[in-house]
Amino acid sequence: MNKKICAVLAVILICSTAFAGCGSEKADAKDLKVYSFSGGDDYITVSNGVIVLSDGYNALYFGDLKADEEHFSDITSLTKTFYVYKDGEKQTLSQNSVTDTTGGTIKVGGEMGKMWGEAGILGRTVPEDVENNLFFQLETTDKEGNVQNYQLQMKVVEVTEDTKA
């Protein structure tokens, strides 16, 4: 558990340091928002997710997916999606699909990756969208062709202080 907390804090520190010099003008510290997120149910758990929002640069570390190996033992295809609801519409932040065409199966769990760049990646996403409306969806297909959907609402916690007060 301590290793996970250290990893999340290291990502936050690295991102904060990297974002300090981005753009032609330095961003005010109050414009930087850092969030951690997690969520889970009986079959899947997302942990160690980090979102960094700033005026000029954004980053997402999607964290780790843990899955009940027995429940997901014969998966041949899966799609992982992170999204928010904004103005009543689902807006996809990231989607990744994998299909095994060799007759084998796919491991569902593991590190889910990251993305970063100019604010365009999450440019339409504001802190209010992230705090209450971040979701993860896992869609799986097994060897018999049965499709299952699992949806989690992420618990999002702001790590930075609100300096606008």
Side-chain angles (χ1 to χ4, degrees), residues 7-56:
V8 169
L9 291 176
V11 168
I12 292 168
L13 180 62
I14 290 167
C15 290
S16 297
T17 303
F19 297 148
C22 293
S24 58
E25 297 179 17
K26 286 194 172 186
D28 292 335
K30 67 182 176 185
D31 295 332
L32 178 69
K33 297 267 188 185
V34 179
Y35 301 89
S36 68
F37 64 87
S38 61
D41 64 15
D42 293 339
Y43 300 111
I44 58 174
T45 302
V46 174
S47 60
N48 299 323
V50 177
I51 299 172
V52 179
L53 299 176
S54 73
D55 285 342

Side-chain angles (χ1 to χ4, degrees), residues 21 42 44 62 69 93:
D42 293 339
I44 58 174
F62 298 109
E69 291 182 29
L93 300 176

Side-chain angles (χ1 to χ4, degrees), residues 126-152:
V126 296
E128 294 78 27
D129 295 331
V130 171
E131 290 174 3
N132 301 311
N133 297 303
L134 181 62
F135 291 87
F136 172 71
Q137 179 178 329
L138 174 67
E139 181 179 289
T140 62
T141 305
D142 64 20
K143 285 185 174 184
E144 288 81 42
N146 300 315
V147 177
Q148 295 289 322
N149 281 298
Y150 305 87
Q151 181 177 335
L152 302 174

Side-chain angles (χ1 to χ4, degrees), residues 72-121:
F72 295 106
S73 63
D74 62 348
I75 302 303
T76 59
S77 177
L78 62 83
T79 300
K80 300 172 187 175
T81 307
F82 279 93
Y83 61 93
V84 295
Y85 279 107
K86 184 171 181 176
D87 300 326
E89 293 185 30
K90 181 178 175 179
Q91 293 188 353
T92 301
L93 300 176
S94 173
Q95 187 171 59
N96 183 11
S97 297
V98 178
T99 301
D100 183 283
T101 58
T102 66
T105 60
I106 298 171
K107 182 180 177 191
V108 174
E111 187 176 335
M112 292 196 285
K114 55 193 162 211
M115 66 182 200
W116 63 90
E118 293 183 17
I121 292 174

